[in-house]
């Protein structure tokens, strides 16, 4: 494997709603995911986040596990309705206490906290007031960011505003498969812009309030998107998918504007991004790090199953296709480590000057624990190893990539898939809440240790 830099960061990631449980404790109010879990058919098996990994009560044990594996960094998210119930007004000190203790626990064990402010759990009251399609939510987010920073800014250096705005906006408002379950392209586009605006406002507020140099970031879900064939209809479809799924997110933040071709594609559907004067400057406020989440890549075709290039409304077809002939994870996602190299190289070429960290990468597989609860997950271990090698190749090729967080520390609530899909480095037996590190967790920790040993050896 190509060498990673000596100070390369090795961590694992989680998010609040997926692990914490304790939905009504110490003043927490409902988030849109608490509500969505109650919609019949929305989540597999009718699963909810009510208990999840019971992390709210087992946090010290979980931090000890992560540190014991040998990882040096922990990416977690803060639950907005826990620290600012209802999404407005003063902070809830009891909610902040939990993250205060978490940060202290991490630091005491030599683990660097990598904090995400928003990983999809919008307070339900803000949804009732319009949610992300409403402009006001961006301002509410900046207030919330400042409240969290007031309490933790003395000890936390690494701050990520948003996790995967694409999923919040498109899965949540266009495809209807995530909370809040909307199905409107126009609402999704408004949500993207207001997420971006919230990000920019929060970056400005944190920068102004900072008591120490902060590393400010945003995390995007990215992949490559080649045309299915060299046919012009497929090339055009890949261009549209790239505009809507990739440049929609990176261009405003790193280049100061929305792509012209995207504006054209949306205009053809009668949709305009609701940009007001000054928004683009706010959104493009410089950040220090770009978080990249990578799971898989698709190909794009400009024809439907019947071979037509336009739909019933006369609009061009854009159809995502698998590559075929590749190994699949338990979720049926194709395993394509080479595309992670290509992706990181593309970002460093097209958006130069911003260091990257892979903030999520991992795989669900059907784990088979032995009698002691141990999982010999050679599949997941191979997945992580191949993707880490892909990161090293990108680094060797000139991409400034500084760390890698596996998704996820624990098996947890995998959104609409409920508890069926397990991504953890550590197995969670949900009946007993017993945690058992898997082979993949031991392997990643050992890899991190060896990398650090090289650093000390000079
Ligand atoms: C990402 C999410 C994360 C997890 C992984 C599998 O899109 O950020 O919470 O669900 O996918």
């Amino acid at each position: 494997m190509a060498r990673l830099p000596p100070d390369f960061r090795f961590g694992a990631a989680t998010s609040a709603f997926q692990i914490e449980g304790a939905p009504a404790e110490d003043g927490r109010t409902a988030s849109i995911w608490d509500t969505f879990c109650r919609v019949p058919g929305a989540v597999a098996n009718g699963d909810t986040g009510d208990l999840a990994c019971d992390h709210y009560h087992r946090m010290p044990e979980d931090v000890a596990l992560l540190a014991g594996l040998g990882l040096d960094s922990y990416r977690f998210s803060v639950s907005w309705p826990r620290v600012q119930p209802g999404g407005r007004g003063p902070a809830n000190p009891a909610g902040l206490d939990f993250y205060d203790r978490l940060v202290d626990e991490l630091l005491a064990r030599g683990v660097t906290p990598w904090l995400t402010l928003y990983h999809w759990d919008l307070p339900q009251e803000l949804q009732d007031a319009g949610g992300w399609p409403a402009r006001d939510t961006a301002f509410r987010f900046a207030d919330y960011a400042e409240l969290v920073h007031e309490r933790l800014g003395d000890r936390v250096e690494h701050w990520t505003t948003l996790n995967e705005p694409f999923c919040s906006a498109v899965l949540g408002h266009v495809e209807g498969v995530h909370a809040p379950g909307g199905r409107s392209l126009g609402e999704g586009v408004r949500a993207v812009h207001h997420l971006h605006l919230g990000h920019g406002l929060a970056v400005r507020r944190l920068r102004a309030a900072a008591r120490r140099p902060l590393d400010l970031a945003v995390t995007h879900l990215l992949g490559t998107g080649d045309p299915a064939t060299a046919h012009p209809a497929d090339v055009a479809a890949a261009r549209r998918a790239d505009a809507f799924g990739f440049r929609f997110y990176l261009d405003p933040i790193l280049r100061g504007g929305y792509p012209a071709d995207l504006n054209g594609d949306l205009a053809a559907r009668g949709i305009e991004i609701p940009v007001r004067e000054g928004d683009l400057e706010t959104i493009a406020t410089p950040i220090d790090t770009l978080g990249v989440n990578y799971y898989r890549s698709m190909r794009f075709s400009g024809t439907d199953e019947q071979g037509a290039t336009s739909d019933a409304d006369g609009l061009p077809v854009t159809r995502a296709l698998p590559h075929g002939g590749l190994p699949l994870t338990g979720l049926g996602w194709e395993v394509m480590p080479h595309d992670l190299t290509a992706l990181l190289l593309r970002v460093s070429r097209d958006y130069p000057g911003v260091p990257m960290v892979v903030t999520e990468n991992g795989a669900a597989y059907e784990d088979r624990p032995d009698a002691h609860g141990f999982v010999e997950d050679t599949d997941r271990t191979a997945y992580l190893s191949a993707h880490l090698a892909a990161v090293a190749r990108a680094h060797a090729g000139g991409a400034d990539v500084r760390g890698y967080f596996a998704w996820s520390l624990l098996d947890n609530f995998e959104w609409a898939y409920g508890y069926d899909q397990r991504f953890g480095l550590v197995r969670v037996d949900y009946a007993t809440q017993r945690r058992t590190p898997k082979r993949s967790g031991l392997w990643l920790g050992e890899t991190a240790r060896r990398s650090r040993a090289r650093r000390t050896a000079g």
Side-chain angles (χ1 to χ4, degrees):
M1 180 165 105
R3 279 285 170 91
L4 288 161
D7 54 354
F8 193 79
R9 182 183 296 286
F10 285 90
T14 62
S15 88
F17 190 81
Q18 292 176 277
I19 64 168
E20 286 179 1
E25 245 164 276
D26 298 327
R28 181 188 182 279
T29 53
S31 76
I32 53 174
W33 269 95
D34 296 282
T35 308
F36 191 64
C37 288
R38 262 109 199 141
V39 175
V43 175
N45 317 311
D47 289 343
T48 71
D50 287 359
L51 181 58
C53 306
D54 196 29
H55 173 74
Y56 194 70
H57 301 116
R58 295 165 191 267
M59 178 271 287
E61 179 195 346
D62 292 338
V63 171
L65 264 168
L66 175 117
L69 288 177
L71 301 174
D72 53 62
S73 301
Y74 178 52
R75 176 174 181 254
F76 61 96
S77 82
V78 174
S79 157
W80 187 346
R82 210 181 273 297
V83 311
Q84 192 190 34
R88 302 171 192 274
N92 168 31
L96 278 171
D97 287 347
F98 173 72
Y99 300 101
D100 207 306
R101 292 197 303 274
L102 168 60
V103 166
D104 283 346
E105 197 76 34
L106 290 165
L107 294 173
R109 291 189 181 270
V111 176
T112 303
W114 190 282
L115 182 154
T116 299
L117 284 161
Y118 184 72
H119 199 126
W120 307 353
D121 43 359
L122 188 73
Q124 182 60 41
E125 286 85 345
L126 293 186
Q127 183 61 37
D128 298 341
W132 288 110
R135 186 175 171 90
D136 184 59
T137 303
F139 295 87
R140 303 283 65 77
F141 177 69
D143 287 352
Y144 153 69
E146 200 166 353
L147 290 180
V148 180
H149 176 267
E150 249 165 54
R151 176 70 86 91
L152 304 177
D154 56 336
R155 283 154 293 155
V156 176
E157 178 186 352
H158 305 280
W159 296 75
T160 299
T161 53
L162 307 172
N163 176 69
E164 300 183 354
F166 167 84
C167 292
S168 304
V170 176
L171 301 187
H173 295 82
V174 184
E175 296 181 9
V177 295
H178 277 190
R183 286 179 189 274
S184 149
L185 179 61
E187 292 284 285
V189 166
R190 299 178 64 78
V192 175
H193 181 64
H194 298 139
L195 282 153
H196 285 156
L197 183 61
H199 156 82
L201 292 166
V203 167
R204 289 191 170 182
R205 295 275 277 275
L206 296 196
R207 201 73 88 191
R211 285 161 273 166
R212 55 180 285 180
L214 300 181
D215 172 35
L216 301 181
V218 62
T219 276
H220 289 298
L221 176 66
L222 301 173
T224 62
D226 295 329
T229 70
H231 190 282
D234 292 346
V235 173
R239 198 272 309 143
R240 283 191 298 277
D242 186 62
F244 187 69
F246 194 102
R247 289 178 282 122
F248 197 177
Y249 300 92
L250 295 191
D251 278 24
I253 291 175
L254 299 172
R255 286 185 172 169
Y258 289 107
D261 60 332
L262 172 71
N263 284 324
D265 295 342
L266 292 173
R269 292 169 187 266
I271 293 167
E272 204 182 329
I273 305 173
V275 179
R276 294 203 194 159
E277 203 183 325
D279 285 3
L280 294 175
E281 290 72 21
T282 303
I283 293 169
T285 304
I287 54 172
D288 306 294
T289 299
L290 176 68
V292 175
N293 290 356
Y294 176 78
Y295 289 93
R296 59 168 168 171
S297 293
M298 305 298 289
R299 298 182 303 153
F300 289 91
S301 163
T303 51
D304 66 15
E305 284 89 346
Q306 281 75 46
T309 52
S310 50
D311 65 13
D313 302 321
L315 293 163
V317 170
T318 310
R319 186 161 58 110
L321 291 174
H323 291 73
L326 293 169
L328 304 177
T329 71
L331 270 168
W333 296 356
E334 292 182 316
V335 179
M336 326 183 46
H338 294 303
D339 285 61
L340 176 54
T341 309
L343 167 66
L344 295 168
L345 289 172
R346 174 191 176 183
V347 175
S348 65
R349 186 189 64 230
D350 291 357
Y351 305 89
V354 56
M356 290 177 280
V357 166
V358 175
T359 36
E360 283 182 32
N361 175 243
Y365 284 107
E366 212 175 301
D367 290 339
R368 293 178 209 286
D370 68 14
H372 308 284
F374 182 74
V375 180
E376 188 67 58
D377 54 344
T378 43
D379 39 17
R380 187 177 291 102
T381 307
Y383 181 101
L384 297 177
S385 165
H387 284 77
L388 208 45
V391 173
R393 275 197 302 278
H395 184 266
D400 184 3
V401 48
R402 301 188 178 180
Y404 176 93
F405 288 84
W407 182 268
S408 176
L409 174 63
L410 303 168
D411 291 337
N412 60 44
F413 175 79
E414 182 46 42
W415 309 113
Y417 299 106
Y419 296 97
D420 283 350
Q421 298 293 335
R422 293 173 176 269
F423 276 87
L425 299 175
V426 174
R427 177 172 178 85
V428 176
D429 175 340
Y430 293 116
T432 61
Q433 289 294 339
R434 199 169 136 225
R435 277 85 159 127
T436 313
K438 304 178 193 175
R439 175 65 64 206
S440 57
L442 301 175
W443 175 85
L444 188 65
E446 188 48 38
T447 304
R449 282 202 180 90
R450 278 205 308 273
S451 168
R452 276 196 300 274
R454 276 205 304 273
R455 183 186 327 170
T456 353

